[in-house]
Amino acid sequence: MVKLKLLLAVSILLASFSCISKEESASRPEEETAAIDDSSFYTFKLKGLEGEEIDFSKYKGKKVLIVNTASKCGFTPQYEELQKLHLQYGDKVAVLGFPCNQFGGQEPGSSSEIGEFCKKNYGVTFQMFEKVDVKGDNLHP
């Protein structure tokens, strides 16, 4: 039952991201439109926790679940369910973890420390990326 609830919640979340129509995006300023244009997502190349460059074009044809993560957060146990989702549906859904330290300093570690924590405590094998800023002057695209 827990798996069904998680899958349903993820399905609703994924569906909500795909509900923006071309008409709605046409009425937005050009810089906002670029942010929701599907084709721009696949041009990103970002570094994984181990420093390797990840080309987002490899996610074409999959649903993508982007998750902001932190190792010292009350929601940290989400790693366990995200890993289960990755193992069960990884051929159809890509789980992408983006650590961020901008919310109460809950992700202070280095990339290697984050990776070690995730693997040791939650067996994470889904793609994790280097820390990003999600707000402020250094907002990551």
Side-chain angles (χ1 to χ4, degrees), residues 39-113:
S39 63
S40 67
F41 174 83
Y42 300 113
T43 64
F44 281 109
K45 292 179 182 176
L46 302 175
K47 288 188 178 187
L49 282 181
E50 297 175 10
E52 74 285 18
E53 186 175 80
I54 308 297
D55 185 339
F56 279 37
S57 66
K58 75 185 230 173
Y59 301 117
K60 283 185 179 180
K62 289 187 175 189
K63 299 290 184 184
V64 178
L65 178 61
I66 296 174
V67 184
N68 180 233
T69 62
S71 302
K72 299 185 183 320
C73 170
F75 294 110
T76 299
Q78 72 181 337
Y79 282 123
E80 185 177 343
E81 293 300 320
L82 291 168
Q83 179 62 21
K84 288 178 185 177
L85 178 71
H86 168 69
L87 291 174
Q88 187 167 0
Y89 300 102
D91 58 328
K92 296 175 186 155
V93 178
V95 178
L96 308 180
F98 286 87
C100 179
N101 194 41
Q102 290 184 296
F103 302 98
Q106 296 176 352
E107 189 58 271
S110 66
S111 289
S112 61
E113 291 169 329

Side-chain angles (χ1 to χ4, degrees), residues 8-21:
L8 181 58
V10 169
S11 297
I12 292 168
L13 179 64
L14 293 173
S16 69
F17 286 121
S18 63
C19 288
I20 298 174
S21 71

